[in-house]
Amino acid sequence: MPPRPLPLLNPALPVIWYGGDYNPEQWPEEVWIEDVRLMKEAGINLATVGVFAWSRLEPRPGEFDFGWLDRVLDLLHAHGIRVCLATATASPPPWFVHRHPESAPVTAEGVRLTYGSRQCYSPASRAYREAAATLAGRMAERYARHPALVAWHINNELGCHVAECHGEESTRGFREWLRRRHGTLDALNDAWGTAFWSQGYSSWEEINTPRRTPYLPNGAQALDFRRYCSDLLLDIYRAELAAVRRHSELPATTNLMGFHRPTDYFSWGPDLDFASWDAYPEPHDTLGGAIWAGFSHDLTRGVRPDRPWVLMEQAVASTNWNACGMTKPPGRMRALSYQALAHGADGILFFQFRTSRYGMEKFLPGLVPHGGTKGSRVWGEVCRLGAELARLGELVGSQAANQVAILVSWPNRWGLEQAGKPQAFDYPAELLAVYERLWRRGIGVDMVPPGANLAAYSLVFAPCLYQIGEADAARLLAYVEGGGALALGWFSGVVDESERAHLGGYPGPLAAAIGAVVEEWHALPPNREWAGEIGGRPCAVRHWAEAVHTRGAEVLGSFREGPLAGRPLALRHRHGRGLAWYLAGKPSAAEDLGRWIDCILEERGLRAEIAAGPDVEVAWRVGGHGRFLFLINHGEAPSHVRLHAVEGADLLDGKRYRGNVPLQPAEVRVLRAGA
Ligand code: GAL
């Protein structure tokens, strides 16, 4: 039985959404007429309007000018183009900052930022939050029943440039937030371990945001500050959404930013009607960029797994903010768009429709280039993709159905990446290393937080799960006991949610699952590695190694040199009805980590249905209308897949494919699979 299809993003637009940010306020009205004509030519069905339009909508305090926006929406509607309407709050106008100087953000060094760019507000500013909610409410009041509208785009990339503030208001807010979290000062002193370095607080008023300190700041304080700031940014979203909801029930989202460090999107998920995000993979690393994008797509899907998601922004050609904004070669934008679809997106949108003539993004190409569309390679690709997506309506609502999950945790990242450790850890890189192997094996992955219900998964990877609280640990243990499988990476189970070390041996509350405890660590300098083996095959270790005592675990491999020679490197343990694996060091080579992963996959009977050549992504969507197989060559050389157990008709060219299917660089096939 295929899973039930996910609900439509909005039944009023039951197709794949196609379009992007549209900023008509930058252009005279005669250009708008040309814009809608071109949108129709390209098969665009959705425009995201008004993201940065605050100063045009409210040019002076309390003085609103909606006339131009009325005309824009009417024009779009007259041409059958639907609208995802922004609340226009992303950047307060200069008058606002003038009126509310305290709303401008203050850095940890005490520097107050000012307007003249964008996003100049403190996440803690009540004045900003109220003004944003007021504008959002005015927009909703006026446009809730406009026939073009299908969704709300709340704010824009919350916390992209300013994710924290150290001003007075933010500091006061932090104290209140801490009171709610800890209740009493004694509890806070205890949770923060302030007996260390004489940091004990004798009144709430003494507590500051973690500003510049002479030496390492209190890690528990820094962690709570990250939680506070993530909550503040969510509060802005909520305040705007509440104002919108007084007038409109249309679905709402805000554009997320993948594994954006400051914002714990898992805690945002319940407030989003659907998730959306802005994907800007590194342009010069074609394959690495695609793997990173796949990871981030899956993470976005995990924020709101019960709904389809939308690729809210991508670059059609290049960006102007990378070290080198390389132009996507022909076909690459299309391939990356299909990749988003393959990972469950029901909308493919761009930043932005028409390239700005002025401003700091004038060299970031939109769909319509400065030179116009005639003879434009980019425009040709945009039109081709629009025509194709219009024929792929049966994909809508189908979803990924995966048996493997990776545990991802923002608080874990915040703790793991703090200074004060014998070694520095790059959490996204550790997650990506595991993800990449699964990607190369054609195994679809869901991203889930540590507290998630894992019952649906046959196997769960948890790389560097440094921070784990008792409740989440209990769920993980219960999952393994009940027959699940956990592959735990090194440097896991080290601290609780307040950065206090677990006593009795790492990985603390997870030690029972792996049947072993870690006694001590060895941080290795960059040019050092120790030989080891797993299952009789060499596996050298670099960066990090651990001295482990087994407590029932079976040893699958050991260190062969250095102070840990002869001690376990890889462990496997039966716990309850399930299994756990542990790796007590970081393999030097991706291939060695990969082999460890392969062995685990094999033991769980997890094998890709399709044998793919190098750099080919294989992904499935399943739903009411069938099973859809996406094949995408992200490499720069011809590749192939071998279809044996599966064959299918390509929704794009109508032909049937089976056996050896060649794939040119950037080539895509979307097969409706049959046996
Ligand atoms: C996004 C942002 C857009 C635009 C784009 C350029 O981060 O939401 O407004 O700036 O980047 O790549």
Side-chain angles (χ1 to χ4, degrees), residues 52 118 156-157 255 278 280 313 319 321 351 361 364:
F52 290 98
R118 68 176 179 183
N156 190 68
E157 292 191 341
N255 43 348
D278 301 344
Y280 292 98
E313 290 183 23
T319 52
W321 43 261
F351 181 86
E361 286 180 343
L364 197 159

Side-chain angles (χ1 to χ4, degrees), residues 154-229:
I154 307 281
N155 213 296
N156 190 68
E157 292 191 341
L158 283 155
C160 171
H161 308 296
V162 180
E164 64 185 56
C165 173
H166 298 266
E168 267 315 298
E169 191 173 7
S170 181
T171 305
R172 280 199 308 275
F174 186 38
R175 291 173 192 150
E176 284 159 26
W177 185 94
L178 291 169
R179 268 181 200 265
R180 286 196 297 276
R181 181 173 173 86
H182 296 284
T184 66
L185 208 51
D186 282 349
L188 177 136
N189 276 313
D190 185 43
W192 285 12
T194 56
F196 184 76
W197 282 349
S198 182
Q199 291 173 358
Y201 290 99
S202 66
S203 91
W204 292 99
E205 281 60 46
E206 291 163 9
I207 300 173
N208 284 330
T209 59
R211 301 171 189 172
R212 279 294 294 272
T213 44
Y215 185 45
L216 300 177
N218 181 305
Q221 176 186 10
L223 191 60
D224 270 352
F225 185 62
R226 292 259 63 88
R227 292 188 174 108
Y228 163 65
C229 291

Side-chain angles (χ1 to χ4, degrees), residues 424-499:
F425 289 87
D426 181 343
Y427 185 46
E430 300 299 353
L431 292 169
L432 264 172
V434 172
Y435 183 82
E436 174 165 351
R437 187 60 166 205
L438 298 169
W439 189 94
R440 287 182 186 278
R441 290 284 171 262
I443 304 283
V445 182
D446 288 348
M447 305 291 169
V448 297
N453 179 355
L454 301 172
Y457 299 106
S458 165
L459 175 60
V460 174
F461 286 90
C464 288
L465 189 60
Y466 157 78
Q467 180 198 110
I468 185 102
E470 296 292 340
D472 286 349
R475 275 170 163 264
L476 264 177
L477 283 177
Y479 162 71
V480 178
E481 274 156 22
L486 172 69
L488 190 65
W490 56 96
F491 206 50
S492 288
V494 179
V495 298
D496 67 10
E497 305 100 320
S498 287
E499 276 287 311

Side-chain angles (χ1 to χ4, degrees), residues 94-105:
W95 62 253
F96 177 82
V97 189
H98 246 272
R99 274 196 147 193
H100 303 280
E102 82 295 344
S103 71

Side-chain angles (χ1 to χ4, degrees), residues 61-311:
E63 199 180 290
F64 291 92
D65 174 9
F66 289 115
W68 66 270
L69 187 54
D70 293 353
R71 294 194 292 284
V72 169
L73 297 195
D74 290 350
L75 183 67
L76 289 165
H77 176 60
H79 289 80
I81 292 153
R82 311 309 292 263
V83 169
C84 174
L85 188 59
T87 49
T89 51
S91 213
W95 62 253
F96 177 82
V97 189
H98 246 272
R99 274 196 147 193
H100 303 280
E102 82 295 344
S103 71
V106 177
T107 66
E109 291 75 24
V111 177
R112 196 178 279 281
L113 307 180
T114 189
Y115 52 81
S117 175
R118 68 176 179 183
Q119 213 176 66
C120 184
Y121 61 83
S122 158
S125 168
R126 179 183 293 266
Y128 170 74
R129 203 166 51 246
E130 286 176 1
T134 301
L135 180 57
R138 292 294 293 258
M139 297 286 280
E141 185 180 24
R142 191 168 185 95
Y143 299 113
R145 267 161 290 284
H146 195 286
L149 244 65
V150 290
W152 288 100
H153 181 296
I154 307 281
N155 213 296
N156 190 68
E157 292 191 341
L158 283 155
C160 171
H161 308 296
V162 180
E164 64 185 56
C165 173
H166 298 266
E168 267 315 298
E169 191 173 7
S170 181
T171 305
R172 280 199 308 275
F174 186 38
R175 291 173 192 150
E176 284 159 26
W177 185 94
L178 291 169
R179 268 181 200 265
R180 286 196 297 276
R181 181 173 173 86
H182 296 284
T184 66
L185 208 51
D186 282 349
L188 177 136
N189 276 313
D190 185 43
W192 285 12
T194 56
F196 184 76
W197 282 349
S198 182
Q199 291 173 358
Y201 290 99
S202 66
S203 91
W204 292 99
E205 281 60 46
E206 291 163 9
I207 300 173
N208 284 330
T209 59
R211 301 171 189 172
R212 279 294 294 272
T213 44
Y215 185 45
L216 300 177
N218 181 305
Q221 176 186 10
L223 191 60
D224 270 352
F225 185 62
R226 292 259 63 88
R227 292 188 174 108
Y228 163 65
C229 291
S230 177
D231 285 358
L232 283 179
L233 291 161
L234 174 59
D235 281 351
I236 295 171
Y237 173 86
R238 284 180 172 159
E240 292 190 34
L241 181 63
V244 165
R245 282 285 170 262
R246 281 199 282 280
H247 308 281
S248 169
E249 285 305 319
L250 288 175
T253 190
T254 185
N255 43 348
L256 310 177
M257 290 166 281
F259 200 21
H260 183 57
R261 192 171 181 273
T263 34
D264 179 358
Y265 291 143
F266 283 133
S267 70
W268 293 33
D271 289 283
L272 308 176
D273 293 317
F274 61 91
S276 64
W277 90 286
D278 301 344
Y280 292 98
E282 207 41 74
H284 55 264
D285 178 6
T286 311
L287 182 64
I291 295 171
W292 174 86
F295 170 85
S296 313
H297 293 332
D298 292 339
L299 184 60
T300 303
R301 193 181 64 242
V303 169
R304 198 66 231 232
D306 52 340
R307 304 286 162 84
W309 61 275
V310 168
L311 179 64

